Amino acid sequence: MRYLKEKPFGCFSHTQNKLICSANGFLILFLSGIFFLTFLLFVINNHCVANGVVLDSIGVTSSGRGGTNIAHSDNGVLIHDNPAALICMPPGKLLDVSGEFIYPDIHYEDDYGADNSKHEVFVLPSFSFVYKRSEDSRFAFGAGIFAPAGFGTEYRLDHFMTRNTVAGDSPVSFGNQIYRSEASLIKLLASTSFKVNEKLSLGFSAGPSVQKMALEMPYTFQTGSLAGVSALAEMDTRSSFGFAYTAGVQYKITENTVVGLAYVSESRSTLKGDASLYLPDTAPESPLFSNKQAKYDMESEFEWPRSIGIGISHKLATSHRFSSDVLWFDWASAFDSLDIKLTNGDNAEFNTALGNKLKDSFPIDWSNSFAFRFGYEYFVMGSSDNIIRVGYIYNENPVSREAQVPMLPGNVQNNFSVGYSHTWNQWEFDLASQYAFSEKDAVTTSDILGGDFNNSSLDMKLYLLFLGAKYRF
């Protein structure tokens, strides 16, 4: 590689040129293979779990230091977190690949029983590639695929609700049923970073987002003429595309102190798929119909929140680096309600009685919140060959207790992390782990119509393992 840098491409012999072209072709094929393999794993893995919904960190490096990343320039995930950092990286090419292994432990209970969400290990891969031509370059470029948000739960719970009738309140039970939810967000981003001067850099990343959602539960309509009517519902959307971007700034106050600012856009998409409704025999409306099942085309507008973050990193002497990020999430705009539209029903009896279009708005009512992230790194012997990391994250809870449901697990308030990196030649091997937990959230009287979630509580723990490798060339 040193010889290649010293001698222009056109000065090589024909045989050397063929070897270089072959090597470059292999590199492109290799990178493309990793990219599409990562994307395939995302597609196959239908479940995503986060700190409730938005991950506290992506990638191994930032995960080990408490998710702090906005004022750093040492990993490919900055394509998503703050693309202004790319031009601040060493010259050359960086390949950053990682996998996150997430084991959630979510417990729900109410007056009629309790259950833990189905125990599974979720694997979320990520991939990024960064290119900076030389130390004097004014531009750097990157591309990556990330899964910054999602959730997945599955319980078996005893259903019980109160149906308001002319004769008074009537108890209704569908027995032991599945309560299941899945949602995922994947971003494919291309990025560029520009050095304004020796202290200031700007960056922008943009690309398609891919979203998917599924829901299965005894569903009680919340609005309109069907308010209070319950049925067993199953909804499953196809992958839908939206658009996402990140804009960022980094400013070097001194050689050892950097501040950063980043805006991550909302990811909005119109989800389309299929839905089915079934009226059990215990439903008050069941005797009115001979055909108790219907299939519909489903449509729902779904949005993941935007965020604004500010960060600072400071290196003390040669062995210590401290960093902190503060982020604000716009949950109030994104998670206000889940609006559902059902059309083209195949049950003539339902269509005659209920109409050809069913609409509902399921309340979520989350509030805006802040996340506070703190990280420390120890450079063993003052060298970046071995780095030890620790961190802590505190998340404000945005969940409205009155609208809390077990299918949307909310945020974990506390997250402790550790990490380690070892560099060997052009390779860097990274390891991190996080333990996150929430306080028990209790609901007395739920705002969800029907009373299915009255006198309930929810608490959650997450165990996370991050493995990754970087290759610089």
Side-chain angles (χ1 to χ4, degrees), residues 26 30 39 42 93 96 103 116 122 193 215 223 234 252 271 273 296 344 362 375 392 414 444 465:
F26 176 77
F30 176 70
F39 182 72
F42 275 126
K93 306 176 185 71
D96 190 345
Y103 180 79
N116 290 317
F122 303 98
S193 179
L215 186 65
T223 58
E234 186 171 356
K252 185 184 293 184
L271 301 177
Y296 295 89
N344 299 323
F362 193 90
Y392 171 73
N414 300 284
T444 302
L465 177 65

Short mmCIF file of all heavy atoms in Angstrom, two decimals, residues 26 30 39 42 93 96 103 116 122 193 215 223 234 252 271 273 296 344 362 375 392 414 444 465:
data_model
loop_
_atom_site.label_atom_id
_atom_site.label_comp_id
_atom_site.label_asym_id
_atom_site.label_seq_id
_atom_site.Cartn_x
_atom_site.Cartn_y
_atom_site.Cartn_z
N PHE A 26 -12.28 -6.73 -6.25
CA PHE A 26 -12.57 -7.61 -5.12
C PHE A 26 -13.07 -6.81 -3.92
O PHE A 26 -14.00 -7.21 -3.21
CB PHE A 26 -11.32 -8.39 -4.72
CG PHE A 26 -11.50 -9.26 -3.51
CD1 PHE A 26 -12.18 -10.47 -3.59
CD2 PHE A 26 -11.01 -8.86 -2.28
CE1 PHE A 26 -12.35 -11.26 -2.47
CE2 PHE A 26 -11.19 -9.64 -1.16
CZ PHE A 26 -11.86 -10.85 -1.26
N PHE A 30 -16.53 -7.21 -2.17
CA PHE A 30 -16.54 -7.55 -0.75
C PHE A 30 -17.44 -6.61 0.04
O PHE A 30 -18.29 -7.03 0.84
CB PHE A 30 -15.12 -7.51 -0.20
CG PHE A 30 -15.03 -7.77 1.29
CD1 PHE A 30 -15.28 -9.02 1.81
CD2 PHE A 30 -14.68 -6.74 2.15
CE1 PHE A 30 -15.19 -9.26 3.17
CE2 PHE A 30 -14.59 -6.96 3.51
CZ PHE A 30 -14.84 -8.22 4.02
N PHE A 39 -28.25 -6.03 5.05
CA PHE A 39 -29.63 -5.69 4.73
C PHE A 39 -30.53 -6.92 4.79
O PHE A 39 -31.65 -6.88 5.28
CB PHE A 39 -29.70 -5.04 3.34
CG PHE A 39 -31.09 -4.62 2.95
CD1 PHE A 39 -31.69 -3.53 3.56
CD2 PHE A 39 -31.79 -5.31 1.98
CE1 PHE A 39 -32.96 -3.13 3.21
CE2 PHE A 39 -33.07 -4.91 1.62
CZ PHE A 39 -33.66 -3.82 2.24
N PHE A 42 -31.39 -7.77 8.30
CA PHE A 42 -32.43 -6.88 8.78
C PHE A 42 -33.80 -7.35 8.32
O PHE A 42 -34.77 -7.36 9.08
CB PHE A 42 -32.20 -5.46 8.27
CG PHE A 42 -31.25 -4.65 9.11
CD1 PHE A 42 -30.15 -4.04 8.54
CD2 PHE A 42 -31.47 -4.50 10.46
CE1 PHE A 42 -29.29 -3.28 9.30
CE2 PHE A 42 -30.61 -3.75 11.25
CZ PHE A 42 -29.51 -3.13 10.66
N LYS A 93 -9.63 4.61 4.18
CA LYS A 93 -10.95 3.97 4.17
C LYS A 93 -11.19 3.25 5.49
O LYS A 93 -10.26 2.65 6.05
CB LYS A 93 -11.05 2.98 3.01
CG LYS A 93 -10.72 3.57 1.64
CD LYS A 93 -10.76 2.49 0.57
CE LYS A 93 -10.30 3.03 -0.77
NZ LYS A 93 -8.84 3.31 -0.80
N ASP A 96 -16.60 -0.58 9.03
CA ASP A 96 -17.05 -0.78 10.40
C ASP A 96 -18.27 -1.71 10.38
O ASP A 96 -19.32 -1.36 9.84
CB ASP A 96 -17.41 0.57 11.01
CG ASP A 96 -17.67 0.49 12.52
OD1 ASP A 96 -17.85 -0.63 13.03
OD2 ASP A 96 -17.69 1.55 13.18
N TYR A 103 -31.32 -9.08 24.66
CA TYR A 103 -32.19 -10.02 25.37
C TYR A 103 -33.09 -9.21 26.31
O TYR A 103 -32.64 -8.71 27.34
CB TYR A 103 -31.37 -11.03 26.16
CG TYR A 103 -32.21 -12.04 26.93
CD1 TYR A 103 -32.78 -13.12 26.28
CD2 TYR A 103 -32.43 -11.89 28.30
CE1 TYR A 103 -33.54 -14.05 26.97
CE2 TYR A 103 -33.20 -12.80 29.00
CZ TYR A 103 -33.75 -13.88 28.32
OH TYR A 103 -34.51 -14.79 29.02
N ASN A 116 -44.47 -12.71 31.40
CA ASN A 116 -43.28 -12.09 30.83
C ASN A 116 -43.37 -12.16 29.31
O ASN A 116 -43.83 -13.16 28.76
CB ASN A 116 -42.00 -12.80 31.29
CG ASN A 116 -41.71 -12.56 32.75
OD1 ASN A 116 -41.85 -11.44 33.24
ND2 ASN A 116 -41.32 -13.61 33.46
N PHE A 122 -32.50 -11.00 20.14
CA PHE A 122 -32.63 -10.30 18.86
C PHE A 122 -31.25 -9.88 18.39
O PHE A 122 -30.44 -9.37 19.18
CB PHE A 122 -33.53 -9.08 19.02
CG PHE A 122 -34.90 -9.42 19.55
CD1 PHE A 122 -35.19 -9.27 20.91
CD2 PHE A 122 -35.88 -9.88 18.72
CE1 PHE A 122 -36.44 -9.57 21.40
CE2 PHE A 122 -37.14 -10.19 19.20
CZ PHE A 122 -37.41 -10.04 20.54
N SER A 193 -19.25 14.94 4.32
CA SER A 193 -18.77 15.82 5.37
C SER A 193 -17.81 16.83 4.77
O SER A 193 -16.98 16.49 3.91
CB SER A 193 -18.08 15.00 6.47
OG SER A 193 -17.58 15.83 7.50
N LEU A 215 -49.42 -6.20 14.73
CA LEU A 215 -50.15 -6.11 15.99
C LEU A 215 -51.17 -7.24 16.05
O LEU A 215 -51.89 -7.49 15.08
CB LEU A 215 -50.86 -4.76 16.08
CG LEU A 215 -51.57 -4.41 17.39
CD1 LEU A 215 -50.55 -4.27 18.51
CD2 LEU A 215 -52.37 -3.12 17.23
N THR A 223 -62.77 5.12 19.07
CA THR A 223 -63.44 6.32 18.58
C THR A 223 -64.59 5.95 17.64
O THR A 223 -64.69 4.81 17.17
CB THR A 223 -62.44 7.22 17.82
OG1 THR A 223 -61.86 6.48 16.73
CG2 THR A 223 -61.33 7.71 18.74
N GLU A 234 -55.80 -8.93 14.19
CA GLU A 234 -54.43 -9.20 13.76
C GLU A 234 -54.12 -8.30 12.56
O GLU A 234 -54.84 -8.32 11.57
CB GLU A 234 -54.24 -10.66 13.38
CG GLU A 234 -52.79 -11.02 13.07
CD GLU A 234 -52.56 -12.50 12.90
OE1 GLU A 234 -53.53 -13.28 13.11
OE2 GLU A 234 -51.42 -12.89 12.57
N LYS A 252 -13.95 22.22 16.83
CA LYS A 252 -12.80 21.86 17.67
C LYS A 252 -12.38 23.11 18.44
O LYS A 252 -11.78 24.04 17.89
CB LYS A 252 -11.65 21.35 16.80
CG LYS A 252 -10.46 20.84 17.60
CD LYS A 252 -9.33 20.42 16.69
CE LYS A 252 -9.70 19.20 15.85
NZ LYS A 252 -8.55 18.74 15.03
N LEU A 271 -47.92 3.00 6.23
CA LEU A 271 -47.83 1.55 6.29
C LEU A 271 -49.10 0.93 5.72
O LEU A 271 -50.22 1.32 6.10
CB LEU A 271 -47.63 1.09 7.73
CG LEU A 271 -46.39 1.62 8.46
CD1 LEU A 271 -46.37 1.14 9.90
CD2 LEU A 271 -45.12 1.23 7.74
N GLY A 273 -51.01 -2.90 4.61
CA GLY A 273 -50.95 -4.34 4.78
C GLY A 273 -52.32 -4.95 4.90
O GLY A 273 -53.29 -4.46 4.31
N TYR A 296 -59.46 -7.28 5.89
CA TYR A 296 -59.46 -5.93 5.37
C TYR A 296 -58.09 -5.57 4.81
O TYR A 296 -57.07 -6.18 5.15
CB TYR A 296 -59.79 -4.91 6.47
CG TYR A 296 -61.18 -5.02 7.05
CD1 TYR A 296 -61.44 -5.86 8.13
CD2 TYR A 296 -62.23 -4.27 6.53
CE1 TYR A 296 -62.71 -5.95 8.67
CE2 TYR A 296 -63.51 -4.36 7.07
CZ TYR A 296 -63.74 -5.20 8.15
OH TYR A 296 -64.99 -5.30 8.68
N ASN A 344 -62.15 -2.31 2.17
CA ASN A 344 -62.31 -3.49 1.33
C ASN A 344 -62.52 -4.77 2.13
O ASN A 344 -61.91 -5.81 1.88
CB ASN A 344 -61.10 -3.66 0.39
CG ASN A 344 -60.91 -2.48 -0.55
OD1 ASN A 344 -61.90 -1.91 -1.02
ND2 ASN A 344 -59.67 -2.11 -0.78
N PHE A 362 -56.09 5.01 18.13
CA PHE A 362 -55.72 4.40 19.41
C PHE A 362 -54.77 5.34 20.14
O PHE A 362 -53.69 5.66 19.62
CB PHE A 362 -55.06 3.04 19.17
CG PHE A 362 -54.92 2.20 20.39
CD1 PHE A 362 -55.92 1.31 20.74
CD2 PHE A 362 -53.80 2.29 21.19
CE1 PHE A 362 -55.80 0.52 21.88
CE2 PHE A 362 -53.66 1.51 22.33
CZ PHE A 362 -54.67 0.62 22.67
N GLY A 375 -19.82 9.28 29.23
CA GLY A 375 -18.86 8.24 28.90
C GLY A 375 -17.45 8.59 29.34
O GLY A 375 -17.07 9.78 29.41
N TYR A 392 -22.82 5.70 31.34
CA TYR A 392 -24.13 5.66 31.98
C TYR A 392 -25.09 6.53 31.18
O TYR A 392 -24.72 7.60 30.66
CB TYR A 392 -24.07 6.18 33.42
CG TYR A 392 -25.43 6.36 34.05
CD1 TYR A 392 -26.19 5.26 34.43
CD2 TYR A 392 -25.97 7.63 34.23
CE1 TYR A 392 -27.46 5.41 35.00
CE2 TYR A 392 -27.23 7.80 34.79
CZ TYR A 392 -27.97 6.69 35.17
OH TYR A 392 -29.22 6.85 35.71
N ASN A 414 -32.59 3.69 33.09
CA ASN A 414 -31.18 3.60 33.48
C ASN A 414 -30.43 2.58 32.63
O ASN A 414 -30.93 1.48 32.38
CB ASN A 414 -31.06 3.20 34.96
CG ASN A 414 -31.74 4.20 35.88
OD1 ASN A 414 -31.22 5.27 36.13
ND2 ASN A 414 -32.92 3.85 36.36
N THR A 444 -53.69 2.88 37.40
CA THR A 444 -54.91 2.56 38.14
C THR A 444 -56.11 2.53 37.19
O THR A 444 -56.73 1.49 36.99
CB THR A 444 -55.14 3.59 39.27
OG1 THR A 444 -54.00 3.59 40.14
CG2 THR A 444 -56.39 3.21 40.08
N LEU A 465 -25.34 -7.18 24.31
CA LEU A 465 -23.96 -7.50 23.99
C LEU A 465 -23.66 -6.98 22.59
O LEU A 465 -24.44 -7.21 21.66
CB LEU A 465 -23.72 -9.00 24.07
CG LEU A 465 -22.32 -9.49 23.67
CD1 LEU A 465 -21.26 -8.99 24.66
CD2 LEU A 465 -22.28 -11.01 23.57
#
